Amino acid sequence: MVHVLSGRTLLRPTDPERSRAFYGEQLGLAVYREFGTGADRGTVYFLGGGFLEVSGRSDTPPSPAIRLWMQVEDVASAHEELVAKGVEIVRPPLREPWGLIEMWLADPDGTPIVLVEVPAEHPLRYRPGI
């Protein structure tokens, strides 16, 4: 059996400095650690129960199959904050038919990011009778 102690998602951006500015300054993710030197240094951000590592460099954008899902406490507040910081919102907050409130954006390489709010009454947070 594999006993996973921690996990992280690794991104290899086409422009590491631009991606660090996006994740660190615009999204405001807290830095867990940094390593290496120069423009291609690595930065690992806290991502709730995991980590997001932005390191290295890629000549091509990431696969469209890659998506980041980040749960936040209040999507409407996140929307206001991100718009004020100049982040392009792909789709503003909307309550989905399945009950989650989702807002869509993309990182500088086009990696889709969904910010999700789980309302208090949603079955992911509360199941009556259990």
Side-chain angles (χ1 to χ4, degrees), residues 76-130:
S77 293
H79 179 257
E80 289 176 20
E81 182 180 334
L82 294 174
V83 166
K85 290 181 176 181
V87 174
E88 182 180 340
I89 305 301
V90 174
R91 198 199 76 192
L94 178 69
R95 185 178 294 265
E96 300 291 352
W98 45 89
L100 299 176
I101 303 168
E102 297 183 2
M103 175 176 69
W104 302 342
L105 52 139
D107 81 357
D109 280 327
T111 300
I113 299 169
V114 59
L115 295 186
V116 178
E117 178 182 334
V118 180
E121 72 280 0
H122 194 278
L124 286 175
R125 290 187 51 188
Y126 176 72
R127 293 180 62 187
I130 293 182

Side-chain angles (χ1 to χ4, degrees), residues 7-117:
R8 69 175 68 169
T9 300
L10 282 75
L11 293 181
R12 301 287 186 245
T14 57
D15 184 337
E17 285 298 328
R18 181 181 67 174
S19 291
R20 269 191 287 282
F22 176 79
Y23 286 104
E25 296 168 23
Q26 291 186 291
L27 285 188
L29 297 182
V31 173
Y32 168 67
R33 69 180 291 254
E34 294 181 284
F35 55 91
T37 59
D40 292 338
R41 72 187 183 282
T43 304
V44 181
Y45 299 96
F46 284 103
L47 196 59
F51 300 97
L52 174 67
E53 179 178 320
V54 176
S55 63
R57 181 183 298 267
S58 176
D59 293 331
T60 60
S63 164
I66 302 296
R67 305 228 185 297
L68 297 176
W69 191 94
M70 300 178 191
Q71 184 177 343
V72 297
E73 188 174 2
D74 184 343
V75 170
S77 293
H79 179 257
E80 289 176 20
E81 182 180 334
L82 294 174
V83 166
K85 290 181 176 181
V87 174
E88 182 180 340
I89 305 301
V90 174
R91 198 199 76 192
L94 178 69
R95 185 178 294 265
E96 300 291 352
W98 45 89
L100 299 176
I101 303 168
E102 297 183 2
M103 175 176 69
W104 302 342
L105 52 139
D107 81 357
D109 280 327
T111 300
I113 299 169
V114 59
L115 295 186
V116 178
E117 178 182 334

